Amino acid sequence: MAIQISSRVPLNSSLLEVRGLSVNFETIDRSVEVLKDVSITIGKEEVVGIVGESGSGKSTLAQAIVGVLDIPPARITKGTILFDGKEIYPQRDNNYNFRGKGINMIFQEPLTSLNPVYSVHDQMEEAVNIGSPTKDKKEKEEIIRKSLNEVMIRDVDTVLSAYPHQLSGGMRQRVSIAMVLVQKPNLLILDEPTTGLDLIIQRKIINLIMNLKREVFSSILLITHDLAVAANMCDRIYVMYAGRTVESGKMADVLHSPLHPYTAMLRNSIPEGYSSSGELKVSSGSPPDLRHLPKGCAFNTRCPKAMDICKEKVPELKVRDGSREVACWLYD
Amino acid sequence: MTEPILEVENLTIQFRVKGKVIGHGGSRRKWKRVLNGVTFSIKEGETFGIVGETGSGKTTLARTLVGIYRPKESYVKLYGRRIDYTKKEDLLLLRKTIGIVFQDPVGSLNPRVTVSDIISEGIIAKGKMSDEQRKEKIVEAANLVELPASKLDSYPPELSGGEKQRVSLARTLIGGKKILVLDEPTSSLDVSIQAQILNLLTRLKRELSISYIFITHDLNVIKYMTDRVAVLYYGEILEQGSTEEIFENPRHPYTSDLIEANISFSSSSEFSEEKVSGEPSGEGCIYKNSCSKRFSACEKTPPYFSYGKGAVKCWLYDYMGERKAGIGR
């Protein structure tokens, strides 16, 4: 007999809560820790960014939240995920179906999230059936056309009868946004939504998402490697390195006064001025190989401010100034 | 410093295609023009940037410059000498002078050859050198690009993305090339690694006084790296000039659209939603279908109007008087 636990009352107004999530990738000869004790919260109507380089675990986190992580090789060793006050991992309350109307995701490469053998119209219809299943056929048709119009597709008829491979990259991404739009999710997860798109299209998609957010979505989780994109979209960010959160806080605070040396380095990596503005301040070394992490803080080999203790013990994520967290011995 | 070392005049490349060409006016032409009248020149020690979106022909331009595509008529002058792509000695001179670093380091390095052998591929006249001399040169080149000597016996799959790009660079530099064509050299790298490579390129340019042709879609990188920029749109240079001039006073509507759309820490939230991005036009100005400032004159193809430090291909600048078929200096 299933135990009734859905009556749990949310403690605060946060929409998504990930508590102490740890994920391992297990192969025949070893087990690699990809996420280590990661906790994030997303408030209602908040845009939260997760920023990090390759190997930071940002995509694994998104996949774990949506529940599309490949298990095996992945294994969630620890942690709970609450959505809207209901537990969705490890125990799913009442088989609560959180996907679709609850959490929805847009992937980096829309070609892999669109089905190549169905026309855009058929796929849109499927999405509408999830979003508003009670409507009759005519109304559904109207919703499809309206949402394609909203993502600024002008030639709706051509796009509706097309198959994904016949559309350009920007167009495909718009279709996948339109599909999400008709489902009216409470939380939208964007995994590098504009990487690989042309500049003008990228800017259009970002503006589109932000406008739609005001109308439909209540919250957004943005996953990106680009601090500048995050700066233009997010209210709050988490910076990740080697599977751990190293810093979090309000976007403007983190951008203007980064506490963790890694955040500062990310910030300095993006060129801002002309060549006369001098060398970019980055240290040598590359993003960590999770199989061979250094002892202590994973960033210590690249850190310009590394001390002895950094090579010995991993710093804990500690709260500073109320809204900020940082995991660095400099602030101990 | 005064004489240009490389001049490209009115370079036009077309590819043969089957059937209808979509995206170039939609007419039933059998040839698709990928580059149309591209004209620019580079001086010693200069970094020349080429910005363009997908399909603008930037990679075709890079490949033509190093002789991968060989146009029948010559448009390229090296040290004042016209390069005839059908002549072997001209091609040799081209290859001795101009090197290329590709975007995809995985595809451009043979996975079954060690790093030191890959770097030695770049030495011209390898036979005349003793083994020790060759070894010495390889170590020297590796030092130059800050590649640890311990990596010389590795194979490309064992290297990180940044190290692969360093190997590509070392292979090009070892032959003493004067001009490097960098085709999106940092697009596939993590941001902190991109910054390392940009610093390295800046240092190499200063120490070796080589010239770069830097091709990318990333405006922040172009702004930081280059002295002069050309804006490429579907095979045509719409505007070119000094980097500061282009970024501070973009003249062509396309250039200002690009700069407005660029995302940086200081980018403004002002970006007009109504901006259309139409197909490039087959007649008249190529950008007219997407242009917000289109007017009657745009039905005819505009010439270049030069303005001191640059030139722009747009009828809005008709009043500036001086018209040129190509871009003057």
Side-chain angles (χ1 to χ4, degrees):
Chain A
M1 203 181 93
I3 304 160
Q4 190 79 20
I5 40 172
S6 62
S7 56
R8 191 183 291 153
V9 182
L11 294 169
N12 47 28
S13 67
S14 65
L15 183 68
L16 180 86
E17 253 195 275
V18 177
R19 288 191 199 141
L21 190 71
S22 296
V23 175
N24 283 10
F25 276 17
E26 282 167 3
T27 54
I28 294 169
D29 54 341
R30 67 176 124 212
S31 165
V32 178
E33 286 186 291
V34 182
L35 284 181
K36 273 158 271 177
D37 203 19
V38 173
S39 301
I40 64 165
T41 54
I42 300 169
K44 284 186 175 138
E45 296 191 34
E46 197 179 28
V47 183
V48 173
I50 294 181
V51 180
E53 293 181 290
S54 39
S56 62
K58 51 191 195 307
S59 288
T60 307
L61 177 60
Q63 288 170 359
I65 293 170
V66 196
V68 293
L69 206 56
D70 280 331
I71 301 175
R75 191 164 68 88
I76 302 180
T77 51
K78 207 160 74 59
T80 47
I81 304 172
L82 301 176
F83 178 67
D84 214 1
K86 300 185 188 78
E87 190 172 299
I88 57 174
Y89 185 87
Q91 295 295 319
R92 210 187 283 178
D93 292 352
N94 274 350
N95 273 333
Y96 170 50
N97 188 7
F98 61 91
R99 290 190 205 134
K101 293 198 78 147
I103 305 180
N104 219 313
M105 186 157 169
I106 291 176
F107 295 88
Q108 174 177 353
E109 175 44 77
L111 205 53
T112 55
S113 53
L114 295 172
N115 192 329
V117 297
Y118 289 103
S119 68
V120 169
H121 179 268
D122 291 355
Q123 298 188 50
M124 289 288 295
E125 202 173 15
E126 200 184 332
V128 174
N129 284 337
I130 297 168
S132 17
T134 50
K135 301 248 166 73
D136 66 33
K137 208 160 181 176
K138 224 175 167 183
E139 280 175 303
K140 281 178 186 167
E141 203 67 20
E142 241 167 63
I143 295 172
I144 292 175
R145 283 169 183 277
K146 193 172 151 266
S147 75
L148 284 178
N149 269 325
E150 271 176 53
V151 293
M152 297 181 303
I153 292 176
R154 279 184 306 278
D155 195 358
V156 174
D157 289 299
T158 317
V159 172
L160 276 177
S161 59
Y163 289 83
H165 71 270
Q166 294 172 305
L167 303 172
S168 67
M171 218 48 142
R172 274 180 220 142
Q173 197 60 292
R174 282 185 224 193
V175 168
S176 61
I177 292 174
M179 279 173 64
V180 167
L181 178 73
V182 294
Q183 301 175 39
K184 296 194 174 67
N186 291 323
L187 172 67
L188 178 64
I189 300 180
L190 305 166
D191 189 1
E192 306 265 13
T194 59
T195 311
L197 294 181
D198 275 334
L199 218 56
I200 293 178
I201 302 292
Q202 169 179 357
R203 188 62 191 261
K204 273 184 180 169
I205 299 252
I206 288 179
N207 279 24
L208 181 70
I209 291 169
M210 295 312 281
N211 282 344
L212 294 177
K213 186 234 154 204
R214 267 167 237 138
E215 290 164 26
V216 191
F217 313 121
S218 75
S219 309
I220 289 179
L221 177 65
L222 170 75
I223 288 159
T224 180
H225 68 280
D226 192 336
L227 203 54
V229 170
N232 280 277
M233 291 178 76
C234 301
D235 303 320
R236 217 153 49 77
I237 65 160
Y238 291 88
V239 180
M240 291 187 66
Y241 191 80
R244 288 176 196 271
T245 310
V246 293
E247 181 165 1
S248 79
K250 291 213 179 75
M251 189 68 230
D253 295 349
V254 174
L255 197 63
H256 292 125
S257 57
L259 292 175
H260 200 283
Y262 177 63
T263 318
M265 192 178 93
L266 267 188
R267 169 99 179 62
N268 293 337
S269 294
I270 298 177
E272 268 190 283
Y274 299 104
S275 50
S276 50
S277 59
E279 224 181 39
L280 299 167
K281 290 183 206 71
V282 286
S283 41
S284 56
S286 37
D289 179 352
L290 292 170
R291 289 166 303 178
H292 312 283
L293 282 184
K295 206 175 165 223
C297 173
F299 189 57
N300 79 48
T301 50
R302 304 172 78 189
C303 185
K305 293 175 180 168
M307 303 174 290
D308 288 341
I309 188 164
C310 304
K311 294 174 183 111
E312 296 298 323
K313 274 172 77 181
V314 181
E316 270 174 50
L317 193 64
K318 285 187 177 153
V319 180
R320 251 179 84 86
D321 309 334
S323 64
R324 291 184 80 171
E325 292 172 306
V326 63
C328 181
W329 289 117
L330 282 176
Y331 304 99
D332 203 47
Chain B
M1 273 301 281
T2 44
E3 277 300 296
I5 54 174
L6 175 75
E7 288 167 88
V8 176
E9 258 165 55
N10 210 9
L11 178 69
T12 302
I13 301 272
Q14 37 192 8
F15 289 127
R16 205 173 179 153
V17 284
K18 278 185 192 159
K20 198 174 144 189
V21 181
I22 303 170
H24 260 241
S27 60
R28 282 171 191 277
R29 275 175 290 182
K30 282 260 174 73
W31 292 88
K32 180 176 170 149
R33 205 167 267 188
V34 181
L35 290 178
N36 191 5
V38 170
T39 301
F40 63 89
S41 62
I42 294 154
K43 290 184 213 161
E44 195 180 291
E46 191 178 44
T47 304
F48 185 72
I50 295 169
V51 201
E53 299 186 295
T54 318
S56 61
K58 9 184 233 300
T59 299
T60 307
L61 178 59
R63 292 183 166 193
T64 309
L65 287 178
V66 292
I68 296 176
Y69 300 137
R70 301 174 200 167
K72 285 207 184 78
E73 290 162 62
S74 173
Y75 306 89
V76 180
K77 262 172 151 180
L78 207 57
Y79 295 114
R81 170 175 164 179
R82 193 165 281 275
I83 298 294
D84 184 346
Y85 280 92
T86 54
K87 276 196 195 143
K88 212 176 165 189
E89 67 256 37
D90 279 10
L91 273 179
L92 203 65
L93 175 71
L94 193 76
R95 290 185 184 139
K96 259 185 191 164
T97 322
I98 310 181
I100 185 165
V101 173
F102 296 98
Q103 169 177 4
D104 175 22
V106 183
S108 55
L109 301 176
N110 187 342
R112 301 180 63 170
V113 177
T114 62
V115 167
S116 70
D117 284 349
I118 289 174
I119 296 176
S120 79
E121 281 169 11
I123 306 177
I124 301 165
K126 229 188 296 188
K128 287 177 196 154
M129 223 176 260
S130 71
D131 276 6
E132 279 98 66
Q133 270 178 316
R134 209 183 68 215
K135 191 111 204 232
E136 212 170 278
K137 276 205 102 170
I138 292 169
V139 173
E140 200 181 299
N143 278 338
L144 206 58
V145 297
E146 294 159 20
L147 185 76
S150 58
K151 300 276 182 192
L152 284 176
D153 295 325
S154 325
Y155 291 87
E158 300 167 32
L159 304 179
S160 68
E163 284 165 349
K164 282 182 195 144
Q165 250 0 4
R166 284 171 203 269
V167 172
S168 289
L169 258 175
R171 171 172 65 181
T172 321
L173 290 172
I174 200 168
K177 304 239 158 68
K178 280 299 177 199
I179 302 170
L180 289 197
V181 179
L182 307 165
D183 185 7
E184 302 263 16
T186 59
S187 315
S188 61
L189 304 176
D190 269 317
V191 278
S192 65
I193 306 301
Q194 162 170 304
Q196 289 170 9
I197 298 283
L198 294 184
N199 281 343
L200 173 68
L201 287 171
T202 313
R203 211 201 70 218
L204 288 175
K205 184 183 131 177
R206 204 176 47 229
E207 286 174 9
L208 306 172
S209 69
I210 41 182
S211 311
Y212 293 138
I213 299 174
F214 203 111
I215 300 174
T216 179
H217 67 279
D218 189 329
L219 283 183
N220 295 329
V221 171
I222 277 279
K223 187 175 172 185
Y224 178 69
M225 289 299 290
T226 63
D227 305 314
R228 284 189 306 124
V229 186
V231 181
L232 202 62
Y233 180 79
Y234 285 92
E236 283 184 23
I237 292 183
L238 293 185
E239 181 170 4
Q240 72 169 283
S242 80
T243 306
E244 247 181 279
E245 191 65 29
I246 297 267
F247 276 89
E248 300 304 324
N249 291 313
R251 284 181 169 79
H252 199 284
Y254 178 59
T255 318
S256 44
D257 284 353
L258 275 184
I259 290 172
E260 226 177 277
N262 185 39
I263 291 175
S264 67
F265 292 120
S266 52
S267 58
S268 65
S269 51
E270 300 293 310
F271 185 74
S272 130
E273 299 284 308
E274 275 71 50
K275 207 149 272 173
V276 274
S277 34
E279 293 279 298
S281 160
E283 279 163 16
C285 172
I286 194 168
Y287 192 58
K288 72 176 185 201
N289 291 347
S290 316
C291 187
S292 52
K293 292 180 179 154
R294 179 180 174 176
F295 65 115
S296 57
C298 304
E299 302 305 320
K300 284 184 292 173
T301 311
Y304 288 99
F305 299 104
S306 45
Y307 59 82
K309 277 185 182 166
V312 55
K313 195 178 187 179
C314 177
W315 283 114
L316 286 173
Y317 302 93
D318 198 5
Y319 63 88
M320 292 201 293
E322 205 182 338
R323 293 183 188 190
K324 283 183 179 169
I327 295 178
R329 298 265 316 147

